[in-house]
Amino acid sequence: MPKRSNYLLPTLREAPADAEALSHKLMVRAGLIRQLGSGLYTYLPAGYRSIKRTEAIIREEMDAIGAHEMLMPVIQPIELWRRTGRDTISELFRLSDRKGAEMVLAMTHEENLTFHIAAEVRSYRELPLLLYHLQTKGRDEPRPRAGVLRTREFTMKDAYSFDRDEAGLEASYARNMAAYERIFDRAGLRWYKVESDVGMMGGSGAHEYMAPCPAGENEIALAPDYAANVEIASARAVRVELPPELDAPHEQPTPALTTVSDVAQALGVPTGALIKAMPVVVEGRGMVLALVRGDHRLNEIKLRNRLGADFRPAHREEIEAEFGPVGFIGPVGLDAKMPILLDEAIRPGCYVSGANKLDTHLIGVHPGRDFSFEPADIRCVEAGDLTAAGHPIVIEPAIEIGNIFKLGTRYSAPLGATFLDENGVEKPIVMGSYGIGPARIVAASIEQFADQIGISWPRALAPFDVHLVGLGKPGDPVSAAAEAAYLELTAAGLEVLYDDRANAGAGEKLTDAELLGCPLRLTIGKRGLAEGVAEARTRRDGADASLSLDGLGAAALARLDGVA
């Protein structure tokens, strides 16, 4: 076990100026990480210990469900990614070797492992299989942020299941789901399992595991018996008071009023009584007009799923050519020119919309009467919306700490991973994918439990069980007692960091111990030595006690038994 005098643990009084997330600030200040470049972090010894403890929990639970660990290369031929159509992912790192062969740095390993399974598995008797690895991965992240939460190089535990049919996939999915719940419980996190979008992974279904905290870049919609990523969540919108019915739309001058709030205020109506029009250009299909209520946000993931194709916002010149002045566009008169998708929250009634004419809006616009449309769920849910059971939704920011996907034959079909069934019929293998980010678990733990003085680790993830602080000088009785305590604690099987620094004062040592946040701090000073005790403080609740130096190892273990 390390002694602080020769251990690389460079603590800082102040956080980096660019650090915003609490976990980023504290991991730097506590000497756990240092930045090398944008989205690139080095784990110093104490930080890496927490990562390894997290990985040990993951390995134990994956092994317990019959998964077998292996290792795959991060450098891969791009040809495999071309066969699955994922070579065009913008975040994919690309490189060439000295012979000019095109390669990628894998961000996931579906292609790699499916390639091997296609070559090795022949019969239904060889299925099911569940394989996993912990591996460095790369992602050309356009906006690295929040320290280790969004980086360009990271370690993931990825597992892959291979089954004969959908029923087999469901069983594998359930086993991995149960393992994930045990992992996050053992890590001491508050977490939710939520429905999510399949994204670039593809497949028929997915769930994410979310740890709520202010630094989270995801939003989750929560209600009794309901949890979903805002990316795909659906709910009944809060009703809005609409203007009186009119026989036909009427033009209303709105000079220089181009925002929803300005128009609503000028006309004396709620923002939800406006129709917000957003033209997008769909690959290979041209312009589509998406409409949501003025108080709602367009959900790009829902829209992309509804369209079944990628899209981009229309450019200003495209809008002016098809509609008119930007800031005054609306659906009336456009349904003959392009498809119109109307969000389902826009209920029957009269609304306000742009008139496709400078400084003018229309009042009394009635969807269905004044323009035709296709109904669609394309908005983000908002706090206060109601679930199908009538419960109000709350929105919480959260960190994604794990995800699971029902891949089906998304990868096995293009890569030729098939098997012969009992009747000798060739069939594609049905797959699942299951990922966990150890660094995200560590960061989420810091975010959820830190206080104003530093980190407060759960025992399962802490770099050390005990932070032993000696307040003596070299060669004096206090230092000798601290050295003996260090040996006894270590012999008792505890992970101990012993602060034996001769050039650091009591205040600096105790402040560093609070900052690093190990579950139990033991301090040995003159007064305690005179009484034959070490002063103990549990970090999570701040409770103090005196533990006899005689049998200190057993006493420390007993003190830690109740620590989460």
Side-chain angles (χ1 to χ4, degrees), residues 30-213:
L32 306 182
I33 59 171
R34 286 295 183 265
Q35 186 169 2
L36 180 64
S38 177
L40 300 171
Y41 286 88
T42 296
Y43 286 88
L44 301 185
Y48 193 48
R49 286 179 68 92
S50 288
I51 294 292
K52 298 299 284 184
R53 295 192 80 168
T54 304
E55 291 178 350
I57 294 172
I58 292 169
R59 282 189 166 97
E60 287 173 12
E61 294 298 342
M62 294 307 298
D63 292 348
I65 62 170
H68 303 288
E69 187 172 7
M70 56 187 299
L71 187 64
M72 293 176 277
V74 66
I75 301 175
Q76 301 180 2
I78 199 172
E79 175 56 31
L80 292 176
W81 291 69
R82 287 192 176 121
R83 288 169 63 181
T84 62
R86 295 209 303 168
D87 60 306
T88 59
I89 295 173
S90 59
E91 292 84 6
L92 189 63
F93 273 114
R94 296 166 175 80
L95 67 155
S96 299
D97 67 14
R98 65 180 63 201
K99 297 179 180 179
E102 294 181 80
M103 315 291 285
V104 301
L105 298 183
M107 57 176 65
T108 61
H109 280 68
E110 283 78 6
E111 283 84 357
N112 185 153
L113 187 51
T114 308
F115 170 80
H116 291 308
I117 294 298
E120 305 301 332
V121 171
R122 291 285 179 268
S123 167
Y124 72 94
R125 294 185 180 89
E126 299 170 82
L127 299 173
L129 283 174
L130 181 57
L131 304 165
Y132 79 99
H133 74 161
L134 279 150
Q135 171 63 292
T136 298
K137 316 230 174 182
R139 178 185 175 97
D140 193 4
E141 177 59 51
R143 293 177 299 278
R145 61 175 295 275
V148 301
L149 286 178
R150 182 159 289 278
T151 56
R152 296 196 294 165
E153 180 178 304
F154 51 93
T155 299
M156 285 287 291
K157 186 286 297 178
D158 278 326
Y160 305 96
S161 62
F162 300 87
D163 285 284
R164 306 173 192 175
D165 50 30
E166 291 292 334
L169 171 59
E170 290 295 335
S172 294
Y173 200 78
R175 283 199 303 276
N176 280 272
M177 188 179 291
Y180 273 36
E181 293 175 4
R182 290 191 295 270
I183 288 167
F184 300 131
D185 283 344
R186 288 180 62 183
L189 293 176
R190 290 188 298 113
W191 58 270
Y192 297 100
K193 180 182 71 182
V194 303
E195 299 174 22
S196 67
D197 181 61
V198 297
M200 70 174 184
M201 299 294 292
S204 60
H207 288 84
E208 292 170 334
Y209 290 84
M210 296 288 191
C213 67

Side-chain angles (χ1 to χ4, degrees), residues 190-244:
R190 290 188 298 113
W191 58 270
Y192 297 100
K193 180 182 71 182
V194 303
E195 299 174 22
S196 67
D197 181 61
V198 297
M200 70 174 184
M201 299 294 292
S204 60
H207 288 84
E208 292 170 334
Y209 290 84
M210 296 288 191
C213 67
E217 60 186 354
N218 295 90
E219 289 185 323
I220 51 177
L222 299 171
D225 299 321
Y226 183 80
N229 193 314
V230 166
E231 292 176 346
I232 68 160
S234 295
R236 297 203 312 269
V238 175
R239 289 189 177 273
V240 66
E241 186 176 349
L242 298 176

Side-chain angles (χ1 to χ4, degrees), residues 244-438:
E245 292 273 353
L246 297 177
D247 293 336
H250 291 191
E251 288 189 358
Q252 177 70 38
T254 51
L257 302 180
T258 59
T259 68
V260 168
S261 57
D262 287 346
V263 173
Q265 184 176 1
L267 299 182
V269 298
T271 54
L274 273 69
I275 291 177
K276 189 158 50 178
M278 286 158 287
V280 298
V281 178
V282 184
E283 273 188 13
R285 284 155 52 183
M287 193 86 74
V288 172
L289 186 62
L291 305 177
V292 299
R293 250 170 47 177
D295 59 341
H296 290 161
R297 298 170 293 159
L298 178 68
N299 186 314
E300 294 189 0
I301 290 176
K302 285 186 178 180
L303 179 57
R304 186 171 288 108
N305 290 340
R306 176 65 172 76
L307 294 170
D310 205 1
F311 67 88
R312 62 169 174 80
H315 300 315
R316 186 183 188 92
E317 58 273 17
E318 293 171 321
I319 295 173
E320 291 175 345
E322 291 286 347
F323 299 89
V326 173
F328 299 94
I329 68 173
V332 177
L334 272 298
D335 46 351
K337 298 179 65 176
M338 66 187 68
I340 296 177
L341 296 180
L342 183 80
D343 183 68
E344 293 169 353
I346 301 178
R347 301 187 180 278
C350 282
Y351 292 81
V352 176
S353 78
N356 299 317
K357 181 179 178 181
L358 184 64
D359 293 337
T360 308
H361 279 75
L362 294 176
I363 59 174
V365 174
H366 199 300
R369 182 193 69 187
D370 301 318
F371 64 91
S372 58
F373 62 86
E374 299 174 36
D377 176 11
I378 54 173
R379 73 177 182 98
C380 294
V381 299
E382 303 287 349
D385 289 347
L386 301 177
T387 65
H391 299 297
I393 278 176
V394 297
I395 307 293
E396 278 197 64
I399 296 170
E400 179 189 340
I401 50 176
N403 49 53
I404 55 179
F405 299 89
K406 296 178 182 178
L407 299 177
T409 60
R410 164 70 177 85
Y411 296 88
S412 56
L415 292 170
T418 62
F419 71 99
L420 297 178
D421 70 7
E422 297 92 329
N423 300 313
V425 177
E426 187 176 47
K427 293 182 177 178
I429 295 174
V430 181
M431 293 176 54
S433 174
Y434 317 89
I436 281 182

Side-chain angles (χ1 to χ4, degrees), residues 444-501:
S445 176
I446 293 172
E447 292 279 347
Q448 288 187 347
F449 301 112
D451 57 24
Q452 68 275 11
I453 56 177
I455 298 169
S456 178
W457 291 106
R459 186 180 176 190
L461 305 186
F464 304 97
D465 299 317
V466 177
H467 195 139
L468 175 64
V469 178
L471 299 182
K473 296 179 180 179
D476 71 5
V478 173
S479 289
E483 183 74 25
Y486 169 62
L487 295 175
E488 181 176 347
L489 292 165
T490 302
L494 291 163
E495 304 281 332
V496 184
L497 175 63
Y498 171 29
D499 193 341
D500 63 333
R501 291 176 294 172

